[in-house]
């Protein structure tokens, strides 16, 4: 499902069930030695997915350990994101030469608990979410908004180390195209210049799972300025 949401040069891997006997590196194993079964399963399966994505990208298998605030640590040439929810675990990885950051999030296609939408949504998002819930009730649009904001955060935080509140991003969802845009709204402290302030992504609602995904292309170096004495590629009057 993730491959349909991301460019083809982003490697993805996903699982809808937990394989038996997942291999973990000792550093990973020590992080979850005392964890409850649910956490052991999601932690192990998502790292099993990570190893498959590393293979697809041509990167040597490596442990995926949490850094500051839980950010997954990748090889220096790699950016990526991981997610897990009931019935879904997924990873998206890409080369830094191609992408600045990637953020993915999976959520069950079920409404948020009472009162949560009001705490995460801006007024225009609240209106739009209620309109969509009326016209297409088979999708939990409130949960999708939550997922998109989580994807924005997972894209933003590893680049900037700056926290975001849910109301720091204004999201607009295109229901027909299954795409979205998000724009960060600077608060009193301003936004880190290290991250993008607008994000585009895709979402899906299939088999009881909502997915959202963002891949921010790497900044390309600006083209070299053309000097007036540089050789011309084509010249007037050179028709032969
Ligand atoms: C960190 C957070 C985004 C995780 O999302 P979640 O829906 O609870 O959980 P998911 O299963 O989708 O993702 C968990 C994975 O996210 C990754 N993750 C954790 N912290 C992260 C961070 N700060 N930045 C990027 N990725 C992070 C990890 O890989 C984690 O998996 P692991 O614990 O097995 O290593 C969420 O708990 C959180 O803190 N949200 C508040 C901030 C926010 O989203 N604000 C919205 C701003 S618009």
């Amino acid at each position: 499902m993730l491959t349909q949401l991301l460019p083809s040069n982003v490697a993805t891997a996903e699982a809808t069930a937990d394989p038996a006997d997942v291999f973990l590196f000792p550093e990973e194993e020590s992080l979850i030695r005392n964890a409850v079964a649910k956490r052991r399963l999601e932690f192990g399966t998502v790292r099993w997915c990570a190893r498959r994505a590393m293979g697809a990208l041509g990167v040597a298998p490596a442990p995926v350990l949490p850094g500051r605030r839980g950010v997954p640590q990748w090889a220096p040439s790699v950016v990526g994101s991981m997610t897990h929810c009931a019935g879904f675990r997924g990873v998206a990885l890409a080369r830094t030469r191609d992408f600045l950051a990637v953020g993915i999030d999976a959520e069950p296609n079920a409404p948020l608990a009472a009162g949560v939408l009001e705490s995460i949504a801006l007024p225009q998002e609240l209106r739009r979410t209620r309109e969509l819930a009326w016209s297409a009730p088979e999708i939990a649009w409130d949960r999708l908004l939550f997922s998109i904001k989580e994807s924005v955060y997972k894209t933003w935080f590893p680049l900037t180390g700056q926290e975001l509140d849910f109301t720091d991003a204004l999201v607009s969802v295109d229901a027909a195209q299954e795409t979205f845009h998000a724009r960060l709204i600077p608060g009193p402290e301003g936004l880190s210049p290290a991250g993008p302030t607008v994000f585009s992504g895709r979402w899906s609602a299939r088999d009881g799972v909502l997915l959202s995904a963002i891949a921010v292309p790497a900044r390309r170096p600006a083209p070299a300025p053309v000097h007036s004495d540089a050789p011309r590629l084509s010249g007037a009057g050179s028709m032969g």
Side-chain angles (χ1 to χ4, degrees):
M1 292 195 279
L2 278 170
T3 43
Q4 285 146 21
L5 305 189
L6 288 159
S8 58
N9 49 352
V10 178
T12 64
E14 61 197 45
T16 53
D18 296 307
D21 301 328
V22 163
F23 167 81
L24 288 179
F25 286 89
E27 310 91 297
E28 294 172 330
E29 189 62 56
S30 72
L31 288 173
I32 48 147
R33 191 158 295 133
N34 301 316
V36 297
K38 174 181 173 291
R39 176 62 179 148
R40 288 186 64 83
L41 287 172
E42 68 182 24
F43 182 99
T45 304
V46 85
R47 280 159 177 80
W48 177 80
C49 293
R51 253 73 90 182
R52 284 167 49 214
M54 287 173 192
L57 208 59
V59 173
V64 188
L65 303 174
R68 182 174 159 247
R69 191 51 178 87
V71 179
Q73 305 294 289
W74 307 106
S77 62
V78 171
V79 288
S81 184
M82 307 203 292
T83 187
H84 25 63
C85 74
F88 189 87
R89 288 80 164 85
V91 173
L93 285 188
R95 293 282 187 179
T96 50
R97 64 170 180 249
D98 298 324
F99 293 93
L100 204 55
V102 176
I104 61 169
D105 188 71
E107 297 288 331
N109 186 7
L112 294 170
V116 175
L117 175 63
E118 291 71 12
S119 69
I120 64 153
L122 293 161
Q124 49 274 64
E125 293 171 336
L126 206 51
R127 276 197 300 279
R128 174 76 175 141
T129 303
R130 287 177 176 152
E131 277 167 22
L132 289 168
W134 180 257
S135 59
E138 66 281 6
I139 294 175
W141 298 99
D142 56 349
R143 183 82 68 162
L144 180 65
L145 179 68
F146 178 84
S147 173
I148 292 169
K149 292 194 178 210
E150 295 271 68
S151 282
V152 168
Y153 175 78
K154 288 176 175 183
T155 310
W156 169 262
F157 187 85
L159 282 174
T160 63
Q162 188 178 37
E163 294 292 340
L164 288 178
D165 287 331
F166 282 92
T167 49
D168 290 339
L170 174 63
V171 172
S172 63
V173 174
D174 187 320
Q177 298 298 317
E178 300 193 354
T179 58
F180 61 84
H181 293 280
R183 180 167 58 80
L184 297 186
I185 303 161
E189 288 168 17
L191 291 167
S192 164
T197 54
V198 292
F199 304 81
S200 299
R202 303 194 67 83
W203 62 270
S204 70
R206 311 254 184 290
D207 304 328
V209 176
L210 301 175
L211 285 177
S212 58
I214 298 168
V216 181
R219 293 184 185 119
R220 300 275 171 224
V226 179
H227 298 293
S228 56
D229 56 352
R232 304 285 294 266
L233 288 180
S234 63
S238 61
M239 298 289 286

